[in-house]
Amino acid sequence: MKVIFIRISFYSILLLSVFNLSAQQTKPDDKYNRQEVMITMRDGVKLHTVIFSPKGQTEKLPFLILRTPYGVNNYQSPEKSSYTKDMADDGYLFVFQDIRGRYLSEGKYAMMRFSRDKTDPKAIDESSDTYDTIDWLLKNVPDNNGKAGMYGISYDGWTTIIAASDPHPALKAVSEQATPSDMFMNDDLHHNGAFRLSYAFEYAFMEEISKTDSLYQFGNYDTYDWYLKLGPLSNMNKKYIHGKLPSWNDFTTHPNYDAYWKKQALTSRLDYPRLAIQHVSGWWDQEDMVGPQDAYKALEKRDTNNKNFIVLGPWRHGGWAGGEGKSLGNIKFDEPTATYFRKEIQAKWFAWYLKDKGDGKFAEAISFQTGSNKWKNYSSWPPKEAATKNIYFHSNGKLSFNKPSAAETKPFDSYVSDPSKPVPYRARPIEETYGPGSRWYTWLTDDQRFVDGRPDVLSWQTDTLTQDVTITGNVIAKLYAATSGSDADWIVKLIDVYPENYKKEPKMSGYQLMIADDVFRGRFRNSFSKPEAITPNKVEMYTIDLHGADHVFKKGHKIMVQVQSTWFPIIDRNPQKYVPNIFEAKESDYQTATQKVFHSLQFASSIELPVVE
């Protein structure tokens, strides 16, 4: 194996211009002074920390803390980052810290570190490291007002909500943004038990092969070819990484939803909101769209003091942190959604809870409704006024709010799924996730016509809509399907089809925009902990959570649903023959299968839509 180690800044990759690397020393035009310290944790490990304080500070200020595995040594003065500028203009003591085992911090790194045993006073986890950091800051940084807030995106969002689950008394408000919540059920590593192959491997390699971020050298610009030539997943350790990635080894030994995944999940770590929590999610977040929604839902059950809030916007992963947010990929929103979030939502949130500035009136749920392109406030999420309405599959590729009748000309549609020729999840070439020129960031908004004409993708669509159809809330697919194999993946995509002659923007004519989508691994239809083989050719119902949406299908558009069984290489290939552990499958286990999707009176496949009249 030939490996190239490339030092990269995760934020420069993920958020483009949010954190432009700069010299480590304070510059004459910086509005903040920079201090670099090593803070000792309760077990003696020292964590590298950078502190920025306003030049000429005249009042006591709160701390704003970001803890990350992606390296903080080159962070610039906070007013020069679009992500923090509005808060920096208000005045805070900014604290950036390398979590243990990463970059310039001491200790051993553990991805998504488990919660500590609190009976052991020397035991540590991310919440204890945050606690010890805040304790040190209060005692050693002059002119603080005794309050702290925390924020961050992705892994930094996860460290934020973990800190909030067992907080220091001075921690008053947090904004967790794009946190992962359950690495088996959704987000980075799996979706409904289906393994996110390309992302999981490339991320694990980037974080674990060395103490700083490193990219794997594929030798193929189009990684679709590399992953296909990989063959069975067992070849990864056998031929390439040789057991050097702890996370990959955990993936292979925990193929089902066992105690390992349950212990790691946020639902096992969260009970009730101990402080003000703002959850932030992007509708087209290609990494952690579900996490904030799940975290909000889990805490909302015991939010007796109105401390739990959610913000949902038209963004990719971290897309609210930089730029105006007027568009994403080919999709235009007319409004500067990211600018609005940073100034009107994020900055005002911390100003109220940490500095007692503003009116403190925050809507329970703030959502940018796509299609109508308007900000909406809701008193609950999902909003109570949304009513479930099923849209059904029919013969001849028709989709309708009318249920199938006995007169359906054909009870099912079928296709052959071939693991040797999987459907790409985005148009090729598929660049490495964080490599040069990667289109990873916006693939969820890509035009789905790139799979038109493939015999292994089924489509149904409505007639042209004569009035707007608004959906606000959770979208659920109810798929009646059968396979000739003994295991199968089902990918369902809810799509907004633009008019064929779209005069407002001609190049968008006929565009197929995914609004909600996900994959389900059939072996887990009855239990994610105890998988079962599928009985060949038996019709079964698969309930697939397509998660939240707030979208208007405009008059003149159409609603489409696509179904397929491969989504490669973001999802690994299902052998379509049941084996106890797919990570141990042999090449001979991979087989073609005939898939049938039913739309009869008895087996009426549908999508449950949360329709707002």
PDB file of all heavy atoms in Angstrom, residues 545-557:
ATOM      1  N   ASP A 545     -37.587   5.676   6.971  1.00  0.00           N
ATOM      2  CA  ASP A 545     -37.661   7.069   7.418  1.00  0.00           C
ATOM      3  C   ASP A 545     -36.819   7.932   6.477  1.00  0.00           C
ATOM      4  O   ASP A 545     -35.600   7.777   6.404  1.00  0.00           O
ATOM      5  CB  ASP A 545     -37.143   7.167   8.852  1.00  0.00           C
ATOM      6  CG  ASP A 545     -37.361   8.539   9.475  1.00  0.00           C
ATOM      7  OD1 ASP A 545     -37.761   9.467   8.750  1.00  0.00           O
ATOM      8  OD2 ASP A 545     -37.108   8.677  10.693  1.00  0.00           O
ATOM      9  N   LEU A 546     -37.479   8.834   5.759  1.00  0.00           N
ATOM     10  CA  LEU A 546     -36.770   9.753   4.865  1.00  0.00           C
ATOM     11  C   LEU A 546     -36.485  11.086   5.557  1.00  0.00           C
ATOM     12  O   LEU A 546     -35.945  12.002   4.940  1.00  0.00           O
ATOM     13  CB  LEU A 546     -37.567   9.975   3.578  1.00  0.00           C
ATOM     14  CG  LEU A 546     -37.949   8.711   2.785  1.00  0.00           C
ATOM     15  CD1 LEU A 546     -38.607   9.092   1.469  1.00  0.00           C
ATOM     16  CD2 LEU A 546     -36.736   7.827   2.534  1.00  0.00           C
ATOM     17  N   HIS A 547     -36.912  11.195   6.820  1.00  0.00           N
ATOM     18  CA  HIS A 547     -36.548  12.315   7.702  1.00  0.00           C
ATOM     19  C   HIS A 547     -37.300  13.601   7.354  1.00  0.00           C
ATOM     20  O   HIS A 547     -38.245  13.594   6.584  1.00  0.00           O
ATOM     21  CB  HIS A 547     -35.036  12.509   7.709  1.00  0.00           C
ATOM     22  CG  HIS A 547     -34.297  11.218   7.852  1.00  0.00           C
ATOM     23  ND1 HIS A 547     -34.369  10.452   8.997  1.00  0.00           N
ATOM     24  CD2 HIS A 547     -33.510  10.523   6.979  1.00  0.00           C
ATOM     25  CE1 HIS A 547     -33.652   9.358   8.836  1.00  0.00           C
ATOM     26  NE2 HIS A 547     -33.118   9.378   7.630  1.00  0.00           N
ATOM     27  N   GLY A 548     -36.863  14.693   7.963  1.00  0.00           N
ATOM     28  CA  GLY A 548     -37.615  15.934   7.895  1.00  0.00           C
ATOM     29  C   GLY A 548     -37.478  16.669   6.576  1.00  0.00           C
ATOM     30  O   GLY A 548     -36.478  16.558   5.866  1.00  0.00           O
ATOM     31  N   ALA A 549     -38.504  17.443   6.261  1.00  0.00           N
ATOM     32  CA  ALA A 549     -38.491  18.316   5.085  1.00  0.00           C
ATOM     33  C   ALA A 549     -39.435  19.475   5.350  1.00  0.00           C
ATOM     34  O   ALA A 549     -40.379  19.368   6.136  1.00  0.00           O
ATOM     35  CB  ALA A 549     -38.920  17.560   3.827  1.00  0.00           C
ATOM     36  N   ASP A 550     -39.159  20.586   4.709  1.00  0.00           N
ATOM     37  CA  ASP A 550     -40.063  21.741   4.725  1.00  0.00           C
ATOM     38  C   ASP A 550     -39.973  22.334   3.325  1.00  0.00           C
ATOM     39  O   ASP A 550     -39.087  23.127   3.024  1.00  0.00           O
ATOM     40  CB  ASP A 550     -39.645  22.752   5.795  1.00  0.00           C
ATOM     41  CG  ASP A 550     -40.710  23.814   6.050  1.00  0.00           C
ATOM     42  OD1 ASP A 550     -41.792  23.733   5.407  1.00  0.00           O
ATOM     43  OD2 ASP A 550     -40.472  24.719   6.875  1.00  0.00           O
ATOM     44  N   HIS A 551     -40.899  21.917   2.465  1.00  0.00           N
ATOM     45  CA  HIS A 551     -40.745  22.200   1.042  1.00  0.00           C
ATOM     46  C   HIS A 551     -42.107  22.390   0.384  1.00  0.00           C
ATOM     47  O   HIS A 551     -43.082  21.720   0.745  1.00  0.00           O
ATOM     48  CB  HIS A 551     -40.002  21.058   0.356  1.00  0.00           C
ATOM     49  CG  HIS A 551     -39.769  21.274  -1.110  1.00  0.00           C
ATOM     50  ND1 HIS A 551     -38.813  22.147  -1.594  1.00  0.00           N
ATOM     51  CD2 HIS A 551     -40.388  20.745  -2.206  1.00  0.00           C
ATOM     52  CE1 HIS A 551     -38.835  22.128  -2.928  1.00  0.00           C
ATOM     53  NE2 HIS A 551     -39.774  21.298  -3.311  1.00  0.00           N
ATOM     54  N   VAL A 552     -42.120  23.282  -0.578  1.00  0.00           N
ATOM     55  CA  VAL A 552     -43.319  23.492  -1.390  1.00  0.00           C
ATOM     56  C   VAL A 552     -43.052  22.983  -2.808  1.00  0.00           C
ATOM     57  O   VAL A 552     -42.162  23.486  -3.498  1.00  0.00           O
ATOM     58  CB  VAL A 552     -43.722  24.981  -1.438  1.00  0.00           C
ATOM     59  CG1 VAL A 552     -44.951  25.161  -2.328  1.00  0.00           C
ATOM     60  CG2 VAL A 552     -43.993  25.520  -0.036  1.00  0.00           C
ATOM     61  N   PHE A 553     -43.800  21.954  -3.206  1.00  0.00           N
ATOM     62  CA  PHE A 553     -43.815  21.540  -4.606  1.00  0.00           C
ATOM     63  C   PHE A 553     -44.741  22.522  -5.320  1.00  0.00           C
ATOM     64  O   PHE A 553     -45.956  22.515  -5.114  1.00  0.00           O
ATOM     65  CB  PHE A 553     -44.349  20.107  -4.752  1.00  0.00           C
ATOM     66  CG  PHE A 553     -43.479  19.056  -4.127  1.00  0.00           C
ATOM     67  CD1 PHE A 553     -43.666  18.674  -2.796  1.00  0.00           C
ATOM     68  CD2 PHE A 553     -42.476  18.426  -4.853  1.00  0.00           C
ATOM     69  CE1 PHE A 553     -42.879  17.690  -2.209  1.00  0.00           C
ATOM     70  CE2 PHE A 553     -41.675  17.446  -4.285  1.00  0.00           C
ATOM     71  CZ  PHE A 553     -41.871  17.080  -2.962  1.00  0.00           C
ATOM     72  N   LYS A 554     -44.174  23.361  -6.126  1.00  0.00           N
ATOM     73  CA  LYS A 554     -44.934  24.457  -6.708  1.00  0.00           C
ATOM     74  C   LYS A 554     -45.867  23.999  -7.836  1.00  0.00           C
ATOM     75  O   LYS A 554     -45.605  23.006  -8.516  1.00  0.00           O
ATOM     76  CB  LYS A 554     -43.971  25.520  -7.258  1.00  0.00           C
ATOM     77  CG  LYS A 554     -43.028  26.122  -6.215  1.00  0.00           C
ATOM     78  CD  LYS A 554     -43.754  26.972  -5.194  1.00  0.00           C
ATOM     79  CE  LYS A 554     -44.209  28.291  -5.780  1.00  0.00           C
ATOM     80  NZ  LYS A 554     -44.844  29.153  -4.752  1.00  0.00           N
ATOM     81  N   LYS A 555     -46.924  24.736  -7.982  1.00  0.00           N
ATOM     82  CA  LYS A 555     -47.835  24.531  -9.107  1.00  0.00           C
ATOM     83  C   LYS A 555     -47.031  24.539 -10.408  1.00  0.00           C
ATOM     84  O   LYS A 555     -46.147  25.372 -10.605  1.00  0.00           O
ATOM     85  CB  LYS A 555     -48.868  25.656  -9.126  1.00  0.00           C
ATOM     86  CG  LYS A 555     -49.826  25.632 -10.305  1.00  0.00           C
ATOM     87  CD  LYS A 555     -50.770  26.832 -10.248  1.00  0.00           C
ATOM     88  CE  LYS A 555     -51.664  26.868 -11.473  1.00  0.00           C
ATOM     89  NZ  LYS A 555     -52.604  28.047 -11.430  1.00  0.00           N
ATOM     90  N   GLY A 556     -47.309  23.577 -11.281  1.00  0.00           N
ATOM     91  CA  GLY A 556     -46.560  23.453 -12.532  1.00  0.00           C
ATOM     92  C   GLY A 556     -45.424  22.452 -12.452  1.00  0.00           C
ATOM     93  O   GLY A 556     -44.896  22.024 -13.479  1.00  0.00           O
ATOM     94  N   HIS A 557     -45.018  22.074 -11.227  1.00  0.00           N
ATOM     95  CA  HIS A 557     -44.001  21.044 -11.019  1.00  0.00           C
ATOM     96  C   HIS A 557     -44.675  19.669 -10.959  1.00  0.00           C
ATOM     97  O   HIS A 557     -45.894  19.537 -11.012  1.00  0.00           O
ATOM     98  CB  HIS A 557     -43.237  21.302  -9.720  1.00  0.00           C
ATOM     99  CG  HIS A 557     -42.347  22.502  -9.758  1.00  0.00           C
ATOM    100  ND1 HIS A 557     -41.059  22.498  -9.281  1.00  0.00           N
ATOM    101  CD2 HIS A 557     -42.558  23.777 -10.204  1.00  0.00           C
ATOM    102  CE1 HIS A 557     -40.504  23.681  -9.429  1.00  0.00           C
ATOM    103  NE2 HIS A 557     -41.407  24.486  -9.982  1.00  0.00           N
TER     104      HIS A 557
END
